[in-house]
Amino acid sequence: MGADVIVIRHPRAGAPHLMASHLDIPVINAGDGMHEHPSQALLDTYTILRHKKTLKGLQVAIVGDIYHSRVARSAIHLLTKFGARITLCGPPEFLPELATSLAPGLHISRTVEESVHGADVVMVLRVQKERLAGQKIGVQDYVARYQMTMARLKLAKTDALLMHPGPIIRGLELTWEVADCPQSAIVEEVRNGVPVRMAILAKALGRAR
Ligand code: ASP
């Protein structure tokens, strides 16, 4: 059809890669299954760098359903590449020990208090209720042990940034208060998606300055 570029979101991991191997126009991965979400990682990094001087040595806690999260995987690859120190936090159902092999220097914590302690950035991930069905940890248990509350967020640095790729489920992985607190960058992340994706398109089309 004469497209200059293809942006693809697909439920199967690797679909953009397969498409790119058959086409000679740029293919942009807008999220492939549980695998990767590169533009989310870029816009999150952009958001972080609007508040923090450098990624080097930055303490980042990623809390929630890491296993099913393409956002977490891409964030881990990008942030560790530039020297951020990441602690992953969640129950074993959502965070197998194997996750440490995603990048060098990753830590796993099973208690949210420990993972958030002294953090510069706290990234909370969505937890779909359906995914808790049939697991050892039920919804109530998850909320009690892992929900981001103001008391837990206070354990992070006073200027810590609270992030979430969305869509958020208020009352599940975070409280209403946390979602709307002054440290919350959730709306800013959405807003920053526009210029970052414009830049990705410009770069793909060879129009970046
Ligand atoms: N906010 C993200 C998006 O819709 C979340 C995701 O795809 O996993 O692009």
Side-chain angles (χ1 to χ4, degrees), residues 34 60-69 72-73 76 86-103 106-112 114-115 123 125-127 131-132 135 137 142 145-146:
M34 286 157 45
V60 181
I62 305 182
V63 184
D65 184 359
I66 316 278
Y67 180 75
H68 296 101
S69 178
R73 255 175 280 283
I76 288 166
I86 302 184
T87 300
L88 305 172
C89 179
E93 293 89 330
F94 288 162
L95 178 56
E97 291 289 331
L98 193 68
T100 51
S101 63
L102 279 170
L106 286 180
H107 292 287
I108 282 190
S109 171
R110 300 292 177 199
T111 57
V112 73
E114 184 189 65
S115 68
M123 186 183 287
L125 300 174
R126 179 164 60 130
V127 170
R131 296 219 159 114
L132 284 166
Q135 301 282 9
I137 186 164
Y142 186 89
R145 288 169 54 197
Y146 294 100

Side-chain angles (χ1 to χ4, degrees), residues 4-113:
D4 294 314
V5 59
I6 292 180
V7 179
I8 173 175
R9 169 169 287 202
H10 200 281
R12 292 284 177 104
H17 181 75
L18 179 68
M19 184 174 254
S21 66
H22 289 283
L23 297 174
D24 54 11
I25 57 169
V27 175
I28 296 171
N29 181 2
D32 60 330
M34 286 157 45
H35 180 221
E36 286 241 33
H37 197 349
S39 67
Q40 180 77 41
L42 285 168
L43 75 89
D44 281 341
T45 304
Y46 177 77
T47 306
I48 293 171
L49 288 173
R50 288 185 69 92
H51 295 270
K52 311 284 171 200
K53 278 198 204 82
T54 174
L55 297 177
K56 204 166 168 52
L58 208 71
Q59 289 220 51
V60 181
I62 305 182
V63 184
D65 184 359
I66 316 278
Y67 180 75
H68 296 101
S69 178
R70 55 190 175 205
V71 173
R73 255 175 280 283
S74 287
I76 288 166
H77 290 311
L78 180 52
L79 296 174
T80 55
K81 207 177 191 124
F82 290 94
R85 294 204 303 267
I86 302 184
T87 300
L88 305 172
C89 179
E93 293 89 330
F94 288 162
L95 178 56
E97 291 289 331
L98 193 68
T100 51
S101 63
L102 279 170
L106 286 180
H107 292 287
I108 282 190
S109 171
R110 300 292 177 199
T111 57
V112 73
E113 287 80 3

